[in-house]
Amino acid sequence: MSTNILEVSGLKTYYKTRLKEKVFAVDGVDFNLEEGKTLGIAGESGCGKSTLALSLMGFYFPPLHYGSGSIRISGNDIMKLSKEQLRSKVSGREIAYIPQAAMNALNPTLRIIRFIEDIMKEHRPELSKKQVWELAADRFKTLNLPEKVLKSYPSELSGGMKQRTVIAISTILNPKVLIADEPTSALDVTSQKAVIKLLKDLLDKKYIRSLVFITHELPLLYHVTDEIMVMYAGEIVERGTAEQMIFDPVHPYTKKLMGSILVPEEGMKGQKLAAIPGAPPNLKQVPPGCRFAERCSFAQSECKTGKVPIRASGNHLYRCLFETETLKEWYANEPS
Amino acid sequence: MNHRDLLIRGRGLTKVFGYGSQKTTAVDAVDFDFHKGEIISIVGESGSGKTTLAKMIMGLLKESSGVIEYKGQPRRLKSHADRKRYWKDIQAIFQDPFSSFNLFYRVEKLLLDCIKLQGLKLTKEERYRKMQEACSFVNLKFEELHNKYPFELSGGQMQRLMIARIFMLHPKVLIADEPTSMVDACSRSTILDMLLKLRDENEMTIIFITHDVGLAYYVSDTIYIMEKGKIVESGPAEDMILNPQHGYTRQLINDVPKIHSAWDLGS
């Protein structure tokens, strides 16, 4: 039986504005991630994907604050640890995070090897500089990155290479979970493929056990992840296997998202792409009832008031007032 | 619809940067024919010279050699009057919408400037109606936006506002340099649909620059594939994507994840 490597329950985190208002960007998120599995998180901009990723790290810098809920990594609740313990025991070792603009995180005045030495000074102080070099060179070799990168300055590397270097550096301590927040959004398709290949390599060679991959590119998620979770306005609206989510989505929001996929395949040209009118709701005043009701083309009057239950069929979860059959019927009758 | 009126033609267009040993040829003897009312995609990876080519067409960079013909005449950009005349017909939208806006101007003033640029004498109501029309073209509500500053808008909204400005100016040629790379998938499909609408309703020639073959296939009539400054393959979008001839085109198509077939990550 597989064990859960990451368990998140009832996680709520908020941003505090200057007027002391609380904006819940992650509002009651529950999910588990099994060992060896990969999870994709999709959604529009402003749905709380990146905030969720940040929150999972356990570090909270104002204006982001921790509300409630627990994050367990291999059974240990990291929210109960002090900041110091988090830094030395958890970050980098248990869970690693690659932010969206990861390649800009490299100090331009240092060679790449210095970043690795820096990590090792904290986490494995017994290693000499030479040993660190050997370890880093070995790791870079197994990941098909050229060794000379270690001696280069960040400005000498291309964007794709920088991104891959950052991923290699942040996984050097073999963290159990890697959270990759849009690692490919600033890259062209060729470098994107190289980054994906690197992530797959890390998983295959067991340097990382599980991966949380955040992006809005659904075809990518389909190839990289086992399961996909769709977020909307700080909540999870649907979760299922990649296959199910791409070809047989249930929630109206997911349905629309899947309709906006663009791939160079026969029949794409001239096909009408789905567009979602409006924008995600302002999280300062969250509408009662279903948060997607405003933009949903199937919304009924009860959607805007009632509490929305989470429905489940097997592993597939979705948050809607209506049964799968009802929704499917509506989709079938929708004029295109 | 007859798309075959030739609008811009380039022959042997070359751009060389640097001197001596530092010499790099960014665009190398490129030939092209862009027709009226057509969307042309220029596809290639980073550093293949797509943007340099676009800047030469815009007249922001001077070509090292080769000629650009505009409406059958060699393009002249010598005098200020020449440039002014040419730039009236050509507009561009860029990757980063933030860089295209004056941060101190409200949306209303940004749009008003477009009316002023055209030198039209309109009453207040007419101006207002025109701005409203432009905003509704891009599915934005002018009433909600007119009092906002650019930093209050999302990336997708700004990019759409950019298109609203294009709609008001109705140039003959629009150069869209990766307009969708900083917005999410949903806004991306709306922006692409707007480009198609601009082509159909205003007969605009749109030069769409991207690295994603999927977008190029969806939006364009003709695709030019660029590799290291050279155009390696060009043709109608259907033929290019479904039946690519050149190895580089195949590689580009293969690099994009698809949903109905496996994605070969290679070794």
Side-chain angles (χ1 to χ4, degrees):
Chain A
M1 200 189 123
S2 51
T3 47
N4 285 333
I5 204 159
L6 180 67
E7 293 176 350
V8 178
S9 64
L11 184 67
K12 281 189 180 201
T13 58
Y14 59 89
Y15 290 101
K16 207 174 204 171
T17 65
R18 270 185 301 178
L19 304 169
K20 308 277 181 247
E21 289 163 312
K22 289 178 180 178
V23 179
F24 281 91
V26 174
D27 202 355
V29 166
D30 306 85
F31 71 92
N32 298 326
L33 180 58
E34 280 174 22
E35 190 168 340
K37 285 278 166 79
T38 51
L39 173 71
I41 302 179
E44 269 174 290
S45 334
C47 282
K49 307 189 297 285
S50 295
T51 312
L52 176 63
L54 260 180
S55 309
L56 289 179
M57 283 298 287
F59 284 108
Y60 292 90
F61 297 104
L64 180 63
H65 296 271
Y66 168 68
S68 60
S70 69
I71 303 162
R72 288 169 198 279
I73 297 171
S74 313
N76 304 318
D77 192 343
I78 62 164
M79 291 321 300
K80 297 216 167 72
L81 301 174
S82 71
K83 255 198 174 154
E84 184 53 37
Q85 280 174 313
L86 256 180
R87 192 174 63 84
S88 60
K89 299 265 159 46
V90 177
S91 89
R93 290 189 171 206
E94 302 274 326
I95 190 163
Y97 168 62
I98 311 168
Q100 209 161 2
M103 41 193 191
N104 305 337
L106 297 170
N107 183 339
T109 63
L110 299 179
R111 292 178 196 273
I112 299 298
I113 186 68
R114 297 276 167 268
F115 300 102
I116 300 172
E117 281 170 7
D118 200 35
I119 297 172
M120 291 306 180
K121 211 188 270 171
E122 172 70 34
H123 292 278
R124 292 178 65 185
E126 74 280 3
L127 293 180
S128 71
K129 270 196 173 180
K130 195 159 174 273
Q131 282 169 311
V132 170
W133 174 274
E134 275 162 13
L135 196 139
D138 186 47
R139 172 61 62 92
F140 271 56
K141 205 181 286 164
T142 46
L143 297 176
N144 294 321
L145 293 167
E147 198 184 316
K148 69 166 199 285
V149 168
L150 289 171
K151 272 189 276 183
S152 317
Y153 286 102
S155 58
E156 294 171 303
L157 305 174
S158 69
M161 186 54 87
K162 258 193 258 184
Q163 188 67 282
R164 283 190 283 163
T165 309
V166 170
I167 295 173
I169 294 172
S170 51
T171 53
I172 201 124
L173 295 167
N174 301 342
K176 286 179 184 150
V177 187
L178 177 68
I179 302 168
D181 186 1
E182 307 229 16
T184 63
S185 61
L187 305 177
D188 71 356
V189 281
T190 315
S191 331
Q192 163 173 299
K193 195 169 159 186
V195 169
I196 298 302
K197 208 175 154 311
L198 175 69
L199 289 173
K200 286 244 181 196
D201 268 359
L202 284 168
L203 280 166
D204 288 343
K205 298 197 167 118
K206 300 250 169 9
Y207 291 139
I208 55 173
R209 251 41 101 59
S210 296
L211 172 70
V212 179
F213 192 93
I214 299 175
T215 183
H216 56 79
E217 290 283 345
L218 292 158
L220 251 189
L221 284 185
Y222 175 60
H223 288 282
V224 176
T225 59
D226 302 316
E227 283 190 279
I228 298 178
M229 199 159 87
V230 173
M231 275 189 90
Y232 185 75
E235 288 180 330
I236 292 168
V237 294
E238 188 166 1
R239 181 187 175 166
T241 61
E243 195 83 9
Q244 264 177 334
M245 296 289 279
I246 300 282
F247 295 111
D248 193 22
V250 176
H251 195 277
Y253 180 61
T254 324
K255 180 92 186 156
K256 280 270 158 88
L257 273 189
M258 303 307 158
S260 66
I261 291 181
L262 264 179
V263 284
E265 284 181 332
E266 208 171 342
M268 272 318 287
K269 201 168 172 65
Q271 188 189 323
K272 187 126 179 55
L273 291 181
I276 312 180
N282 186 348
L283 291 170
K284 272 186 220 163
Q285 306 120 16
V286 192
C290 178
R291 294 185 179 185
F292 185 59
E294 280 279 297
R295 305 167 73 193
C296 181
S297 40
F298 307 105
Q300 312 286 320
S301 57
E302 60 260 42
C303 285
K304 295 190 177 150
T305 49
K307 199 170 154 27
V308 188
I310 298 178
R311 292 172 180 275
S313 59
N315 271 334
H316 196 100
L317 303 175
Y318 71 100
R319 191 187 287 268
C320 190
L321 271 181
F322 300 99
E323 299 279 351
T324 317
E325 287 76 37
T326 326
L327 287 167
K328 287 267 158 75
E329 204 173 297
W330 284 344
Y331 297 151
N333 296 331
E334 194 190 12
S336 57
Chain B
M1 210 172 355
N2 180 23
H3 283 326
R4 307 320 293 179
D5 299 338
L6 193 63
L7 195 64
I8 307 178
R9 158 190 274 189
R11 284 291 172 267
L13 211 55
T14 305
K15 179 73 197 176
V16 182
F17 290 113
Y19 295 96
S21 62
Q22 297 288 306
K23 213 158 150 179
T24 42
T25 311
V27 176
D28 193 356
V30 163
D31 298 340
F32 55 79
D33 298 286
F34 296 159
H35 301 276
K36 199 176 170 211
E38 178 183 53
I39 300 187
I40 303 108
S41 287
I42 303 176
V43 189
E45 57 186 316
S46 336
S48 59
K50 314 183 290 281
T51 304
T52 313
L53 177 61
K55 280 187 176 162
M56 281 196 286
I57 298 171
M58 264 183 265
L60 294 176
L61 279 178
K62 201 176 175 314
E63 57 274 18
S64 304
S65 65
V67 278
I68 296 177
E69 283 176 17
Y70 180 64
K71 288 183 178 168
Q73 307 277 318
R75 185 184 67 174
R76 282 171 56 90
L77 291 176
K78 286 255 163 54
S79 69
H80 184 72
D82 284 341
R83 284 198 291 271
K84 206 170 168 184
R85 203 175 315 124
Y86 183 62
W87 284 339
K88 253 196 177 146
D89 284 353
I90 197 156
Q91 285 291 328
I93 41 179
F94 297 100
Q95 187 171 9
D96 183 4
F98 286 81
S99 64
S100 315
F101 284 97
N102 188 334
L103 296 177
F104 300 104
Y105 285 0
R106 292 177 202 271
V107 169
E108 193 175 36
K109 182 149 172 52
L110 289 167
L111 293 176
L112 264 178
D113 276 357
C114 297
I115 297 177
K116 275 190 197 154
L117 270 175
Q118 290 171 298
L120 299 174
K121 294 241 176 334
L122 299 173
T123 61
K124 204 173 174 186
E125 283 78 41
E126 279 170 324
R127 282 202 299 260
Y128 189 79
R129 214 195 52 241
K130 229 176 149 119
M131 289 192 280
Q132 237 175 355
E133 193 188 356
C135 281
S136 64
F137 179 79
V138 294
N139 296 337
L140 293 172
K141 288 200 181 74
F142 181 67
E143 294 74 25
E144 288 172 12
L145 285 176
H146 74 281
N147 238 348
K148 283 191 172 167
Y149 285 103
F151 70 85
E152 293 173 273
L153 307 175
S154 72
Q157 276 177 323
M158 281 219 258
Q159 202 62 279
R160 278 189 279 166
L161 209 56
M162 215 45 225
I163 295 175
R165 288 167 82 174
I166 303 292
F167 174 79
M168 291 174 88
L169 293 168
H170 50 79
K172 300 246 171 12
V173 182
L174 167 64
I175 294 176
D177 190 353
E178 305 231 9
T180 58
S181 64
M182 286 181 70
V183 296
D184 66 16
C186 284
S187 318
R188 187 175 64 195
S189 49
T190 7
I191 288 172
L192 293 182
D193 282 340
M194 274 157 204
L195 293 182
L196 287 171
K197 220 159 105 187
L198 277 178
R199 177 197 66 181
D200 294 341
E201 290 177 11
N202 299 21
E203 281 242 301
M204 215 175 268
T205 304
I206 300 174
I207 302 167
F208 184 78
I209 296 172
T210 182
H211 57 78
D212 190 333
V213 198
L215 305 187
Y217 176 50
Y218 177 72
V219 82
S220 56
D221 303 306
T222 312
I223 297 182
Y224 285 77
I225 305 272
M226 263 187 112
E227 186 193 17
K228 295 188 185 128
K230 286 200 173 68
I231 284 182
V232 294
E233 196 177 355
S234 64
E238 293 277 332
D239 291 359
M240 293 286 287
I241 302 304
L242 303 178
N243 189 14
Q245 299 298 322
H246 196 276
Y248 185 68
T249 317
R250 285 204 205 110
Q251 186 206 324
L252 276 179
I253 296 171
N254 192 26
D255 284 347
V256 179
K258 299 171 196 68
I259 53 167
H260 293 291
S261 52
W263 193 25
D264 175 25
L265 278 173
S267 55

